Amino acid sequence: MSSTVLGQVTGPRRLKELRPDRLPALADEIREFLVDKVCAAGGHLGPNLGVVELTIALHRVFDSPVDRIVFDTGHQSYVHKVLTGRQAAFDTLRAEGGLSGYPMRAESPHDHVENSHASTALSYADGLAKAHRLRGEEHRRVIAVIGDGALTGGMAWEALNNLGRGGRPVIVVLNDNGRSYDPTVGGLADHLTALRAAGEPGPNLFETLGLAYLGPVDGHDIAAVEEALRDAARLGRPVVVHCVTEKGRGYAHAEEDEADRMHGIGVLDPATGRSRTASSPGWTAAFGAELERIAAERPEVVALTAAMLRPVGLHGFAERFPERVFDVGIAEQHAVTSAAGLAMGGLHPVVCLYATFLNRAVDQIMMDVALHNLPVTFVLDRAGVTGPDGASHHGMWDLALLGTVPGMRVAAPRDTARLAELLGEALSVQDGPTALRFPKGGAGPEIPALTRMEGVDILHRTRSRPLDVLLVSTGVLAGPALGAAELLAEEGVGVTVVDPRWVLPVAPALTHLASRHRLTLCLEDGIRAGGVGTALAQACADARVPGPVHALGLRREFLSHGERPAILADHGLTARSVADSARALLGDTTPARTPAPSSRERTPR
Ligand SMILES: Cc1ncc(C[n+]2csc(CCOP(=O)(O)OP(=O)(O)O)c2C)c(N)n1
Ligand SMILES: CC(=O)[C@@H](O)[C@H](O)COP(=O)(O)O
Ligand SMILES: [Mg+2]
């Protein structure tokens, strides 16, 4: 028999067999395990340290997977995975082919929701409970675990509106640690603070909507949580069990982390809590610094975040201009339409999101901002392949989605110099929305242009060679494009590499340049279907450009977690793969001649 309590817990059944007096030791061992594994791999440490006792109680009271335990956002499901037989897999946490950092149905029947976008759990629970009723499976309980941050998302209240009236016995476990990254904002936060103080005269928000309310419960007292969960299950009606927890509990470096209680960490030294990886100045910091600089000169510039002030680089802005930054909670739809209001009121709002979370607010961008030609600028961090956060975190849809929005202009800087330039250009646009997108992490070296032609940067020309291939690179894919040009030039292939900077709508100069080359390839760190390459192909067809236009981008698939470079390579977005694609596709076209340079190319800057 294993010498540790944790070693004996190979699944929920063994957990249920443990004597209650063994549970504190189990909790301690789980915390030690989490610090060890998450510091080694990176991931969500603070959120999971906060739900150790809560998750133990959940799996002792309920009978997963017959009972369905649904985690909102899913970043706090590591303890759930430890207790459902996956301890050994934690050495592969968030690695390609390894354990996902979120529930993953292929990993376990105990996992249900893989989407890491917040505020969805109560809607899943509502649907599951309806299905159980209609299928005669009402013995299966439905438990949704939602954080106080996720509860600030509108979908959660749409679901509560239905749960309260429906009478279906859904158990909502509110994991209230008082924060998302920062302390949770808004009137709801104030209400929860009053409830946590165990004193809210009269019916609270949940009871007013028709749900029962049990709490506040000390979320770190296993017996108390078990009792509350059993009481909730006996009620046979929708109920909120309000558990008060502490994010980062039990690991001093997390508890003392003023920023975000080690919400999400890289590889750390567990003894010191310090990063083991050197981080180069990244895109996010460059954006934040430039926005601050511009805002100092332009009082009409304001900024919005959806509960991610520091992750999107706005903390400096907030310190300098506290009255001009708005944290709306995890509420991207509200953020966008509130920005429309700010713009209608004469300001120039900058809505700062991770690209993947833009998906949630496309209608608001389309019908609340673009329809009214409002000057709102969207800054999309983590655009393109992100990597370890997996399928619902890759920022791979923004180009295709924004390409459908009339009047939307989208820029993709190739380096931080262009980021500053394009942010300034975006904030000078007053007759419609603009968007700027850049990837996660470190920004590479500056890539200067040879010349600029009607806004399009010419990065490389193979002199005195036929105009065989036009490589249109978007954003940071300028690097692989230039690498491919070098490889092709060694084979006598004439290559021109251009960076349009403003990638949507298609720059007219691009169709002109395409008309002078045998083949055009467009590289994009986004889904190929409906992306920039598709738009360029359509523009070239409309302009009767003879040569073929091919989009090199991401396949229309949900991409699992892994490392960004490997995923890009798998999609043919490396210098060698691009050269191979060009060489193969050139074979299908007729050889070109070496024409004189076009009069449209201005003198080098
Ligand atoms: C729609 C959406 N926007 C933003 C995020 C980024 N995000 C991940 S976790 C998190 C905070 C969640 O806070 P809470 O629900 O209280 O959970 P806790 O981390 O406190 O356990 C945020 C904003 C997200 N996952 N989904
Ligand atoms: C769960 C969630 O949505 C965020 O915590 C996200 O994982 C952060 O991603 P970064 O680590 O790229 O900031
Ligand atoms: Mg929280």
Side-chain angles (χ1 to χ4, degrees):
M1 178 144 99
S2 166
S3 60
T4 64
V5 185
L6 179 55
Q8 298 168 39
V9 179
T10 52
R13 189 172 53 77
R14 296 298 303 278
L15 173 65
K16 290 179 171 74
E17 291 165 358
L18 285 182
R19 292 196 322 270
D21 64 353
R22 306 292 285 139
L23 298 179
L26 173 63
D28 291 345
E29 288 175 20
I30 290 175
R31 278 198 169 83
E32 201 176 312
F33 177 91
L34 288 174
V35 171
D36 173 38
K37 301 300 182 185
V38 184
C39 284
H44 290 95
L45 184 57
N48 283 286
L49 288 170
V51 295
V52 172
E53 293 81 6
L54 174 59
T55 311
I56 290 172
L58 280 167
H59 277 291
R60 283 175 56 85
V61 170
F62 297 108
D63 182 21
S64 173
V66 172
D67 296 334
R68 313 244 209 182
I69 302 176
V70 175
F71 290 92
D72 195 290
T73 316
H75 62 305
Q76 78 294 54
S77 61
Y78 295 6
V79 182
H80 162 77
K81 295 196 174 194
V82 165
L83 298 176
T84 51
R86 287 171 273 181
Q87 295 171 36
F90 268 80
D91 291 325
T92 66
L93 180 60
R94 294 168 26 124
E96 183 179 353
L99 193 68
S100 168
Y102 300 90
M104 175 72 73
R105 293 163 4 138
E107 284 179 17
S108 167
H110 295 280
D111 290 7
H112 304 290
V113 174
E114 302 179 6
N115 178 16
S116 63
H117 292 198
S119 317
T120 64
L122 305 192
S123 298
Y124 280 105
D126 180 50
L128 282 164
K130 286 168 180 170
H132 292 167
R133 173 167 288 178
L134 289 172
R135 288 171 51 90
E137 295 177 342
E138 288 180 279
H139 63 286
R140 303 188 71 173
R141 271 96 47 109
V142 178
I143 305 96
V145 181
I146 185 168
D148 55 298
L151 200 57
T152 60
M155 267 185 78
W157 293 91
E158 293 167 22
L160 285 169
N161 182 44
N162 282 272
L163 289 171
R165 170 69 68 85
R168 287 172 292 281
V170 168
I171 297 167
V172 175
V173 177
L174 172 53
N175 170 33
D176 181 5
N177 54 29
R179 48 190 322 140
S180 286
Y181 289 78
D182 297 306
T184 297
V185 297
L188 172 65
D190 298 339
H191 186 57
L192 293 182
T193 301
L195 290 180
R196 283 198 299 270
E200 181 68 16
N204 61 43
L205 262 178
F206 307 109
E207 292 166 324
T208 306
L209 285 175
L211 293 97
Y213 170 85
L214 299 178
V217 182
D218 174 355
H220 299 296
D221 178 337
I222 298 172
V225 178
E226 283 196 35
E227 183 185 355
L229 293 176
R230 294 185 201 287
D231 290 347
R234 276 191 288 271
L235 283 177
R237 58 177 288 220
V239 54
V240 172
V241 181
H242 183 187
C243 295
V244 181
T245 62
E246 181 189 358
K247 197 167 201 173
R249 185 180 177 103
Y251 179 55
H253 296 300
E255 291 174 346
E256 292 156 10
D257 174 21
E258 284 307 308
D260 59 23
R261 298 290 194 287
M262 289 195 171
H263 173 89
I265 62 171
V267 175
L268 296 186
D269 175 349
T272 63
R274 290 200 204 96
S275 173
R276 285 193 192 277
T277 50
S279 60
S280 57
W283 289 99
T284 308
F287 157 66
E290 183 60 19
L291 185 66
E292 269 187 67
R293 190 192 65 75
I294 295 171
E297 299 163 1
R298 293 186 44 191
E300 79 279 12
V301 171
V302 296
L304 295 94
T305 175
M308 299 179 80
L309 185 86
R310 186 176 296 271
V312 297
L314 285 179
H315 43 297
F317 185 104
E319 275 166 32
R320 282 185 66 183
F321 314 110
E323 74 289 352
R324 288 161 57 187
V325 63
F326 307 102
D327 179 352
V328 299
I330 309 180
E332 286 81 3
Q333 295 174 332
H334 169 68
V336 173
T337 304
S338 179
L342 286 159
M344 278 183 180
L347 300 176
H348 194 130
V350 180
V351 180
C352 304
L353 306 173
Y354 282 11
T356 187
F357 303 134
L358 176 101
N359 299 3
R360 182 152 282 182
V362 171
D363 185 68
Q364 287 75 16
I365 291 171
M366 182 97 63
M367 300 305 175
D368 295 322
V369 176
L371 178 65
H372 303 99
N373 302 312
L374 293 170
V376 176
T377 295
F378 297 90
V379 175
L380 307 177
D381 198 332
R382 277 38 173 203
V385 170
T386 48
D389 268 311
S392 54
H393 254 79
H394 296 301
M396 57 191 276
W397 291 279
D398 57 302
L399 292 171
L401 292 170
L402 293 177
T404 65
V405 180
M408 171 65 76
R409 303 169 176 90
V410 182
R414 63 177 182 271
D415 54 32
T416 53
R418 254 45 64 182
L419 169 61
E421 179 183 84
L422 287 164
L423 181 59
E425 291 177 22
L427 289 173
S428 67
V429 173
Q430 298 304 326
D431 63 351
T434 52
L436 220 61
R437 52 120 55 190
F438 47 79
K440 176 170 183 168
E446 188 171 333
I447 302 176
L450 300 176
T451 181
R452 180 166 290 180
M453 178 176 144
E454 297 163 27
V456 174
D457 280 354
I458 313 292
L459 304 184
H460 170 87
R461 263 194 305 252
T462 316
R463 292 217 170 276
S464 69
R465 283 271 197 281
L467 296 176
D468 294 315
V469 182
L470 174 65
L471 293 182
V472 179
S473 73
T474 60
V476 292
L477 294 183
L482 289 167
E486 280 178 30
L487 294 170
L488 290 166
E490 289 164 10
E491 303 163 26
V493 175
V495 183
T496 306
V497 180
V498 299
D499 171 10
R501 301 181 315 123
W502 290 96
V503 294
L504 289 170
V506 173
L510 285 188
T511 51
H512 167 74
L513 284 161
S515 68
R516 294 165 47 80
H517 290 76
R518 289 166 60 196
L519 169 69
T520 297
L521 296 183
C522 181
L523 285 64
E524 58 194 301
D525 185 3
I527 191 168
R528 207 169 43 172
V532 177
T534 306
L536 177 58
Q538 184 60 55
C540 286
D542 295 347
R544 304 282 187 280
V545 170
V549 179
H550 287 264
L552 299 182
L554 304 177
R555 298 184 294 270
R556 180 167 38 200
E557 295 171 5
F558 291 110
L559 309 180
S560 191
H561 53 280
E563 290 306 314
R564 173 178 162 85
I567 297 172
L568 290 175
D570 177 45
H571 289 262
L573 292 171
T574 63
R576 177 151 311 280
S577 304
V578 171
D580 292 346
S581 298
R583 191 178 310 105
L585 291 164
L586 269 179
D588 307 337
T589 65
T590 51
R593 48 180 180 67
T594 308
S598 153
S599 59
R600 289 169 71 143
E601 290 174 24
R602 295 203 316 246
T603 51
R605 281 182 335 123

